[in-house]
Amino acid sequence: MYLADRTWPELGARLSEESVAVVPLGSTEQHGPHLPLATDHLIAEALASAAAEEADVIRTPTIQVGVSPHHRQFPGTMWVDPPEFREYVEAFTRNLAYHGIDRVVYVNAHGGNVQHLREVGRRLHRDGTTYALEWMWDESIPELVDELFEHNGPHAGPKETAMITHIAPELVREDQLENARDDGLVHLGDSDAFVHGARTFYDSVDNSANGAFGDPTDVTPEKAERLFEAATDQLVQLVEWLEARDREELLPKERVESSPY
């Protein structure tokens, strides 16, 4: 159920009975010459919508701008700084807790958000407000991603191209797929991204002139559908696992008073 489509009387009883909400988060940032800036938040919203319908839980509005300063050199990229992002997501989640939601899954599709969502979850857990988990879609199906694509790429590569091919194929610039591959970076090992164990780059443009990584030409509608369905299934299973937990099980544990030995 999408929260924002309902009236408050329709939501009143439902929210008091509901325990889990899914919150889609992404970014508005460059995704090479072939994918829209909306890529990440479109993926998060589509997965959250599909899982919320199947698991019969609440889906909130999508948080569309994330922590993306490392893509700032590309026109149109938007970002918020980490402290402001964390404060906003925390306040957003406390709103849900006020209305009776005590478990939240952050359905995330942007790597730059990960550590900040985990920190917000830690804060909310520490004071017992709610139990919030960060879920990154491609981290839920790494074996399948590796099976489907020889050159994945961490950003604007085949896995994200496949997801947009499935969700909104009209937004994929198919005439730019080869340019994305040839003018981007297919093999991260071909760059000086890591030298003697040190990560040498701060911005995406340091490694890829057009912002794309991997080989997005290695995508078919069949692969795209398989990827989307597998990620959705993992999210549904996570929501069901969370629903089955007792609240006491999720609250912070008491201080250990004595050694068990």
Side-chain angles (χ1 to χ4, degrees):
M1 183 203 317
Y2 180 45
L3 181 146
D5 281 346
R6 305 292 174 148
T7 66
W8 71 261
E10 292 169 344
L11 285 168
R14 180 64 185 269
L15 285 176
S16 66
E17 297 171 356
E18 192 61 60
S19 60
V20 178
V22 292
V23 179
L25 306 96
S27 66
T28 299
E29 64 180 25
Q30 73 84 16
H31 274 80
H34 62 302
L35 295 177
L37 272 66
T39 289
D40 285 347
H41 70 251
L42 288 176
I43 293 172
E45 185 169 287
L47 289 169
S49 296
E53 181 176 353
E54 185 170 342
D56 193 26
V57 296
I58 296 290
R59 174 178 76 82
T60 73
T62 304
I63 297 175
Q64 298 185 347
V65 178
V67 182
S68 303
H70 49 296
H71 294 290
R72 68 189 182 279
Q73 289 90 348
F74 294 93
T77 291
M78 302 183 70
W79 70 92
V80 291
D81 292 330
E84 286 72 23
F85 178 78
R86 291 192 294 265
E87 291 300 321
Y88 181 84
V89 175
E90 181 175 343
F92 188 105
T93 311
R94 290 186 187 278
N95 289 177
L96 296 175
Y98 175 83
H99 290 296
I101 297 292
D102 65 353
R103 289 160 237 203
V104 170
V105 178
Y106 297 131
V107 180
N108 182 35
H110 173 52
N113 294 340
V114 170
Q115 63 178 310
H116 308 295
L117 293 173
R118 290 178 179 167
E119 172 57 26
V120 170
R122 185 178 295 110
R123 293 180 190 176
L124 295 165
H125 180 255
R126 187 168 55 225
D127 65 17
T129 299
T130 192
Y131 187 78
L133 292 174
E134 183 271 339
W135 179 83
M136 183 75 177
W137 74 269
D138 58 323
E139 291 181 359
S140 75
I141 49 171
E143 297 85 1
L144 179 59
V145 173
D146 287 340
E147 175 190 335
L148 293 177
F149 308 116
E150 184 178 357
H151 303 296
N152 295 328
H155 180 78
K159 61 189 177 186
E160 291 185 321
T161 303
M163 292 296 265
I164 299 301
T165 295
H166 183 75
I167 296 163
E170 71 281 2
L171 296 181
V172 179
R173 279 62 168 178
E174 294 186 3
D175 63 335
Q176 292 295 319
L177 291 174
E178 292 186 2
N179 292 338
R181 177 195 63 197
D182 297 341
D183 296 335
L185 181 66
V186 175
H187 305 279
L188 197 60
D190 291 343
S191 73
D192 290 330
F194 296 91
V195 176
H196 302 302
R199 176 172 168 163
T200 62
F201 63 96
Y202 287 97
D203 297 325
S204 177
V205 74
D206 293 337
N207 290 315
S208 174
N210 68 7
F213 296 80
D215 182 5
T217 67
D218 188 21
V219 172
T220 65
E222 293 75 22
K223 289 182 179 180
E225 181 179 13
R226 189 176 171 194
L227 201 68
F228 183 84
E229 290 183 351
T232 300
D233 180 64
Q234 287 296 307
L235 180 53
V236 168
Q237 290 189 57
L238 174 60
V239 168
E240 291 175 343
W241 175 87
L242 199 52
E243 280 190 304
R245 306 275 76 77
D246 291 332
R247 177 171 170 76
E248 293 300 316
E249 193 180 342
L250 301 174
L251 292 173
K253 304 297 184 291
E254 296 293 332
R255 178 176 178 272
V256 176
E257 296 294 345
S258 60
S259 171
Y261 305 107

